[in-house]
Amino acid sequence: MDRRSRVGARKAWLVTRLRPTLIGLRDAWIGDDPEVSRLVDRSRVLERMELFLKRLPGFYLTGLVFGIWIFDWISPIEIGRLPPFRKLRQPDRERCLDRWAHARLGLKRLVFMGIKFVTASQIYTEPALLESLGYGPALRDRKEGRCQ
């Protein structure tokens, strides 16, 4: 087994371990809104999140995985809950995300920004959601090659 395949297998293992937490983060960002849930294919968003993480260089992937793991276990304790983030109800998940978004400690905000980038960037690439937000003409122009 060469080095590249070993690194790829290690990245796949790391991302697989994060899958329950990524599902929780995805659901926290999408929320309970039935209109958004109808427009977003949750399984495709999860696949794209995992693919994005697997493509990261090893150093960044390791840092982000460690940050997400810390977030999964520490953030519920901050709001007085014991289960990890992935097992919390939607209002508690939103409280955790809000606490990390406005944290005084810069490292917590940095981890939150990484989490937000990974999840939100993959959710907002859903064509149906972008059309409902008013980006329909821009999407059609991009498909036809008329981007400015």
Side-chain angles (χ1 to χ4, degrees):
M1 186 184 248
D2 65 337
R3 185 182 188 290
R4 181 171 284 188
S5 60
R6 281 195 317 263
V7 170
R10 199 173 309 133
K11 284 182 177 183
W13 180 81
L14 278 174
V15 173
T16 303
R17 297 279 303 191
L18 278 183
R19 191 174 184 68
T21 306
L22 291 175
I23 291 170
L25 286 167
R26 177 203 63 194
D27 294 343
W29 280 100
I30 292 174
D32 294 332
D33 185 11
E35 183 67 24
V36 175
S37 295
R38 184 181 62 79
L39 296 172
V40 175
D41 182 3
R42 291 174 185 254
S43 61
R44 191 167 61 198
V45 168
L46 182 65
E47 288 172 8
R48 282 199 313 258
M49 286 169 62
E50 290 176 341
L51 183 62
F52 178 82
L53 287 172
K54 287 177 187 174
R55 289 181 179 170
L56 283 175
F59 176 76
Y60 296 114
L61 176 65
T62 304
L64 193 56
V65 165
F66 183 69
I68 291 172
W69 183 80
I70 293 290
F71 176 81
D72 190 28
W73 289 98
I74 299 298
S75 57
I77 294 171
E78 289 180 335
I79 64 165
R81 301 283 188 259
L82 284 180
F85 178 83
R86 62 184 174 259
K87 294 183 181 179
L88 291 176
R89 294 172 307 154
Q90 183 65 21
D92 293 334
R93 286 180 180 172
E94 291 174 3
R95 280 181 49 205
C96 289
L97 288 170
D98 190 48
R99 293 276 303 244
W100 278 59
H102 299 100
R104 288 186 179 180
L105 185 63
L107 189 58
K108 284 173 73 174
R109 285 193 314 270
L110 186 66
V111 168
F112 172 77
M113 287 180 356
I115 289 170
K116 182 172 98 172
F117 179 76
V118 169
T119 55
S121 66
Q122 301 310 315
I123 290 170
Y124 287 108
T125 55
E126 286 290 312
L129 181 63
L130 289 173
E131 291 223 6
S132 73
L133 293 173
Y135 291 104
L139 288 174
R140 283 190 291 278
D141 289 345
R142 186 169 55 178
K143 285 180 183 174
E144 296 171 4
R146 296 185 298 174
C147 291
Q148 297 170 353

